Amino acid sequence: MRDFAIMTDSCCDLASAMAEELDLSVLPLSLHLGGSVYRNWLDGRDIAFPDFYSRVRGGESATTAAVSVGDFQVEMRRILQSGRDILCVSFSSALSATFQSASIAAEDLREEFPEAKIYVVDSLCASLGQGLLVWLCAREKKRGRTLEEVRDFALATRGKVCHWFTVDDLNHLKRGGRISAATALFGTMLSIKPVMHVDDGGRLIPVSKARGRKASLLALVDEMEKSAIDPEHQTIFISHGDCLPDAEFVAEEIRRRFGTETVHINYVGPVIGSHSGPGTMALFFLGKTR
């Protein structure tokens, strides 16, 4: 049986050490900030995550770009030439053209490597929701599952990866067209914080509102309480837009309520952070439904 590689992109927001440990191939999306282009490597080698958030707080805004077809072709070809097949799990197609780029590259390379198998799965996930799905897939691979079994697992599991977000500054969502200017203005005046999730189609959707930051953080854990499957024994992922104390507050609340042992915390990377802004807080877990 041929070995296979698991490939993803940097919107998975996994810690670089974890991605290395899982033997993942991770392609970076990129961002344009202050006249320069930076790649969103997981280790922050092009732009350190605290520096990125400091610049955004200082008033700079960034635009972002998907992984190109060419970048996927280069990395996929490298893996195929080593005699391995590929399972690529991409950032949600509702939020980026990265899945489309991977699909086009795979189609081209199937002609060049007719004996190889290349599967591209739309995670319908974002940030550490995508990271959680990839982590689970890597765990299935370690258990000796075949390429097709892990692909089917990804397709069956992606709709159970729950994403709950809140943001500190509504103006970033306004700029990205997620909320109206009026909503941003009144929300800011009244200290209203949106509680959002990623729906079954992989889109970011506002669900409710909380009055004040602490209430919005507790609302994330309330949502977990409603739908998480066996929260005590799950591995939970939390990502944050340069607000580690808030992430630790949420992690502690999860441990207190559910007795959960393993909680991984990491940054919301610069590409997603360009749209959600500093102070973003996101919680990811497996639930009965999204």
Side-chain angles (χ1 to χ4, degrees), residues 209-282:
K209 299 182 180 78
R211 190 75 179 265
R213 178 67 166 177
K214 187 176 179 185
S216 73
L217 300 179
L218 291 172
L220 304 180
V221 188
D222 292 344
E223 293 296 345
M224 182 173 166
E225 195 162 356
K226 288 177 197 169
S227 62
I229 301 163
D230 190 18
E232 184 183 349
H233 300 107
Q234 273 203 51
T235 295
I236 306 300
F237 284 62
I238 295 172
S239 60
H240 67 93
D242 201 35
C243 52
L244 182 59
D246 287 343
E248 287 171 340
F249 171 80
V250 171
E252 198 45 54
E253 183 66 14
I254 288 167
R255 291 188 190 102
R256 187 186 71 74
R257 283 200 214 179
F258 313 118
T260 307
E261 286 178 20
T262 312
V263 182
H264 291 289
I265 298 174
N266 199 37
Y267 271 92
V268 174
V271 165
I272 292 180
S274 296
H275 301 281
S276 60
T280 300
M281 265 296 311

Side-chain angles (χ1 to χ4, degrees), residues 34-105:
S36 298
V37 175
Y38 302 95
R39 292 202 157 197
N40 179 181
W41 297 103
L42 296 186
D43 60 6
R45 72 185 82 156
D46 267 20
I47 182 166
F49 299 169
D51 293 350
F52 163 76
Y53 282 106
S54 172
R55 288 175 64 175
V56 173
R57 283 192 181 100
E60 291 187 64
S61 61
T63 56
T64 59
V67 182
S68 70
V69 174
D71 284 351
F72 270 118
Q73 284 176 330
V74 168
E75 182 61 7
M76 286 178 171
R77 186 176 283 111
R78 184 189 70 78
I79 292 166
L80 296 169
Q81 285 172 341
S82 74
R84 291 175 295 163
D85 293 324
I86 296 169
L87 174 64
C88 178
V89 181
S90 81
F91 184 30
S92 172
S93 64
L95 300 171
S96 168
T98 297
F99 168 72
Q100 192 180 0
S101 294
S103 300
I104 293 167

Side-chain angles (χ1 to χ4, degrees), residues 14-24 42-43 266:
L14 288 166
S16 59
M18 183 183 280
E20 211 168 292
E21 188 188 313
L22 297 173
D23 195 26
L24 302 174
L42 296 186
D43 60 6
N266 199 37

Side-chain angles (χ1 to χ4, degrees), residues 47-197:
I47 182 166
F49 299 169
D51 293 350
F52 163 76
Y53 282 106
S54 172
R55 288 175 64 175
V56 173
R57 283 192 181 100
E60 291 187 64
S61 61
T63 56
T64 59
V67 182
S68 70
V69 174
D71 284 351
F72 270 118
Q73 284 176 330
V74 168
E75 182 61 7
M76 286 178 171
R77 186 176 283 111
R78 184 189 70 78
I79 292 166
L80 296 169
Q81 285 172 341
S82 74
R84 291 175 295 163
D85 293 324
I86 296 169
L87 174 64
C88 178
V89 181
S90 81
F91 184 30
S92 172
S93 64
L95 300 171
S96 168
T98 297
F99 168 72
Q100 192 180 0
S101 294
S103 300
I104 293 167
E107 195 55 46
D108 290 348
L109 288 167
R110 285 186 192 107
E111 293 176 24
E112 197 178 321
F113 296 88
E115 77 292 348
K117 294 174 181 173
I118 313 167
Y119 297 122
V120 182
V121 172
D122 180 356
S123 73
L124 302 174
C125 295
S127 189
L128 274 175
Q130 178 183 340
L132 174 55
L133 183 62
V134 170
W135 179 82
L136 291 165
C137 288
R139 199 173 63 168
E140 291 299 305
K141 180 179 188 280
K142 274 190 179 155
R143 288 174 175 162
R145 305 281 191 260
T146 66
L147 171 61
E148 283 79 9
E149 284 171 337
V150 180
R151 175 202 60 192
D152 293 348
F153 170 84
L155 291 168
T157 307
R158 63 186 179 180
K160 297 173 187 162
V161 179
C162 299
H163 302 55
W164 288 95
F165 289 79
T166 188
V167 298
D168 204 31
D169 181 350
L170 294 166
N171 289 305
H172 294 282
L173 291 176
K174 181 192 80 176
R175 273 203 295 274
R178 303 276 173 212
I179 59 172
S180 70
T183 301
L185 176 64
F186 289 117
T188 302
M189 283 165 59
L190 299 170
S191 191
I192 299 292
K193 308 295 182 187
V195 177
M196 300 167 288
H197 84 137

